[in-house]
Amino acid sequence: VQLQASGGGLVQAGDSLRLSCVASGRSFGSAVMGWFRQPPGKEREFVAAVNWSGITTYVADSVKGRFTISRDKGKNAMFLQMNSLKLEDTAVYYCAARTQSPYSASAFYRRAAEYDSWGQGTLVTVSS
């Protein structure tokens, strides 16, 4: 599975941005999908995950209430709607897929090691 993340850019604090992740090669319809981010000079961290059906989501406390994860299985795509962006949201955002537990009801996968396919990342820069 090849994942392509897009939608990053330079925005001001308080703005919104929508990231997209599209899969090619084969369907990831049965996989848990997730977003991670890596701020400058810091470790990669979990942002959000969604299960195969799109019904169950799991969002990090740091973005809860501001970020929403969703997926469109028909388009083989996943999205991250980011509202009320803060300076500390500046990071390279990566999408990932966990294919080894197909049709999992849970989205509670927050460790990078739990995902086996990764996109190339898209940079989000939030300025004051």
Side-chain angles (χ1 to χ4, degrees):
V1 179
Q2 186 171 1
L3 303 174
Q4 181 77 33
S6 63
L10 174 63
V11 296
Q12 292 189 321
D15 285 351
S16 297
L17 206 57
R18 189 191 196 211
L19 303 184
S20 300
C21 176
V22 178
S24 62
R26 66 178 175 93
S27 172
F28 65 97
S30 64
V32 173
M33 301 294 298
W35 287 99
F36 288 76
R37 67 185 182 185
Q38 187 164 14
K42 297 185 179 180
E43 297 291 317
R44 190 172 300 192
E45 62 186 29
F46 170 78
V47 176
V50 58
N51 79 330
W52 73 276
S53 68
I55 293 176
T56 302
T57 62
Y58 175 49
V59 181
D61 288 343
S62 59
V63 303
K64 193 170 293 182
R66 299 189 298 120
F67 290 12
T68 303
I69 187 172
S70 62
R71 66 189 300 169
D72 183 334
K73 297 182 67 177
K75 296 181 179 179
N76 222 19
M78 173 181 67
F79 308 98
L80 185 68
Q81 178 65 42
M82 305 186 296
N83 298 329
S84 302
L85 282 161
K86 303 178 179 179
L87 298 180
E88 53 263 40
D89 294 321
T90 294
V92 177
Y93 284 72
Y94 298 89
C95 60
R98 173 183 170 84
T99 62
Q100 64 263 42
S101 55
Y103 301 108
S104 171
S106 173
F108 194 72
Y109 299 100
R110 61 178 300 130
R111 295 185 299 118
E114 295 175 309
Y115 294 79
D116 49 75
S117 297
W118 290 83
Q120 84 293 352
T122 185
L123 176 62
V124 174
T125 303
V126 184
S127 65
S128 59

